[in-house]
Amino acid sequence: MPNLLSEANYLLSTIYAKFLSSLFLEVEIQTPVETANDILHNNKSLVRFGDGELEWLDENHVANFQVGNKDLANDLRTIIQRKEDKLLIGVPNAIVQQSNLSLTEKKWWRKWLARNVMNIRLYVNHGSFASTNFSRPYIMYKYHEYSDDVFQIIKKIFNKKEIVIIEGDQTRFGVGNDILNGAQNVQRIICPSRNAYSKKKEILNFVRTSISNSSDTLVLLSLGPTATVLGSILFDDGFQVIDIGHADLEYEWFCRQDEVKTNLKYKGVNEVDGGYVVEDLPNHIKEKYESEIIKVI
């Protein structure tokens, strides 16, 4: 009997998920590979609205690393409605398709969509969007045939670039792996991991006064919803920007062939219990990482 109930509940949830997804029939979302290639071949910028950013459209939303407020919500509401050829606006593929997800992720997204669908439809109801899964091409999927393709394209995007990373103090993007190996140079601006939005003006002021913008400059942002906001503003300032999100964590899990999200002892993982407890970097890695830091905010 429990198995029959479980199967019945799963069938009902599948039917309901298809109904919810049908509400987004006028929404087209690129695949992660398409978004990666669009950035690579057309020098586009990307800001992302993952599940968190879509919830922060509500000024009352609170998460473990950012408290929502009216200013943040207004910024995000403005950005998600931007329509410019060189600025990609990313949303989750799971809004319209969950069949290719792992069972755990499928259940999570169906519950999330049921809870948030009416608010999302205020802003994501028609038109074309990029894929937020450009930065999450591995752990959530049932099959991983395109994961390596996306990571290889990301490496090509970074190749020979003067990279400026705006990240949280526990992010350590690319530290200890080879995802940034092709970059010409790497500089880091270290920001608070929690409530970074309160430092928006300070971060922008430093970038505008201290970072030269050449054709080879690429700004990577990994800073929750603040990255979405900063990315939009810096794009208007003339920078190529990529809201790169969890791509480094995904790459770590991909290289280890992990099947679920796991702690990484040298990097913060906000989606795993105990993920904010990180160890000091080994000296031979720490020296290079600290040499790349040009500002701590």
Side-chain angles (χ1 to χ4, degrees):
M1 182 64 72
N3 286 339
L4 288 175
L5 288 174
S6 178
E7 290 176 8
N9 287 334
Y10 182 75
L11 178 61
L12 288 172
S13 72
T14 300
I15 294 170
Y16 186 51
K18 288 182 178 179
F19 164 71
L20 293 176
S21 294
S22 73
L23 300 176
F24 297 94
L25 287 177
E26 296 183 28
V27 175
E28 295 183 2
I29 305 175
Q30 293 177 327
T31 67
V33 173
E34 288 172 338
T35 294
N37 275 319
D38 207 0
I39 295 170
L40 175 66
H41 297 298
N42 300 308
N43 294 313
K44 291 189 179 182
S45 292
L46 170 72
V47 293
R48 297 176 312 102
F49 283 79
D51 59 281
E53 287 74 27
L54 290 170
E55 291 189 74
W56 271 298
L57 291 167
D58 177 356
E59 63 191 61
N60 297 310
H61 178 59
V62 177
N64 57 1
F65 60 93
Q66 179 64 59
V67 176
N69 59 66
K70 184 177 290 186
D71 290 338
L72 173 58
N74 285 338
D75 280 347
L76 293 174
R77 291 167 189 165
T78 299
I79 295 164
I80 199 169
Q81 297 177 80
R82 295 190 66 168
K83 303 292 182 185
E84 298 187 47
D85 180 58
K86 285 292 186 178
L87 179 64
L88 298 171
I89 306 296
V91 298
N93 295 87
I95 288 175
V96 297
Q97 175 66 270
Q98 303 98 32
S99 63
N100 56 346
L101 303 180
S102 69
L103 182 59
T104 298
E105 291 287 337
K106 192 179 296 183
K107 290 179 178 178
W108 189 92
W109 276 101
R110 287 175 177 175
K111 289 179 181 178
W112 182 90
L113 192 56
R115 190 172 65 248
N116 294 285
V117 62
M118 300 313 297
N119 189 45
I120 298 169
R121 271 179 52 79
L122 295 174
Y123 304 97
V124 183
N125 47 51
H126 70 281
S128 300
F129 293 85
S131 169
T132 61
N133 297 72
F134 156 78
S135 67
R136 285 181 174 266
Y138 174 68
I139 203 72
M140 68 192 300
Y141 288 105
K142 181 167 50 177
Y143 305 111
H144 305 118
E145 62 266 36
Y146 301 114
S147 302
D148 187 56
D149 293 342
V150 175
F151 289 125
Q152 293 306 317
I153 297 169
I154 287 174
K155 289 180 181 180
K156 290 179 181 178
I157 293 169
F158 296 166
N159 191 47
K160 297 182 180 179
K161 291 290 188 179
E162 296 281 343
I163 289 180
V164 179
I165 303 173
I166 302 174
E167 63 180 354
D169 52 30
Q170 295 183 332
T171 304
R172 298 169 175 175
F173 187 95
V175 173
N177 62 50
D178 66 356
I179 201 167
L180 292 170
N181 279 10
Q184 182 70 30
N185 187 46
V186 176
Q187 295 179 307
R188 299 177 187 270
I189 300 168
I190 306 300
C191 308
S193 292
R194 297 177 186 268
N195 295 314
Y197 184 78
S198 65
K199 301 294 184 180
K200 179 182 78 170
K201 292 181 180 179
E202 188 175 346
I203 298 167
L204 286 171
N205 181 63
F206 180 78
V207 174
R208 287 166 168 168
T209 58
S210 303
I211 303 299
S212 60
N213 187 13
S214 70
S215 60
D216 294 327
T217 303
L218 175 61
V219 178
L220 303 181
L221 301 114
S222 183
L223 202 60
T226 306
T228 309
V229 176
L230 293 174
S232 177
I233 297 170
L234 292 174
F235 170 80
D236 288 337
D237 286 351
F239 288 94
Q240 183 184 11
V241 300
I242 299 177
D243 180 359
I244 200 67
H246 288 72
D248 181 58
L249 300 182
E250 290 272 327
Y251 186 60
E252 292 275 5
W253 293 325
F254 169 75
C255 290
R256 292 156 41 132
Q257 292 295 287
D258 287 334
E259 296 183 0
V260 296
K261 297 171 185 177
T262 57
N263 279 323
L264 301 169
K265 62 181 180 178
Y266 300 127
K267 300 179 180 185
V269 184
N270 65 294
E271 298 172 335
V272 176
D273 289 342
Y276 282 111
V277 179
V278 298
E279 297 182 17
D280 286 339
L281 293 167
N283 288 335
H284 67 287
I285 297 177
K286 185 176 183 179
E287 183 177 347
K288 182 176 186 299
Y289 167 71
E290 292 184 342
S291 73
E292 296 169 343
I293 296 173
I294 58 172
K295 179 68 173 178
V296 178
I297 290 176

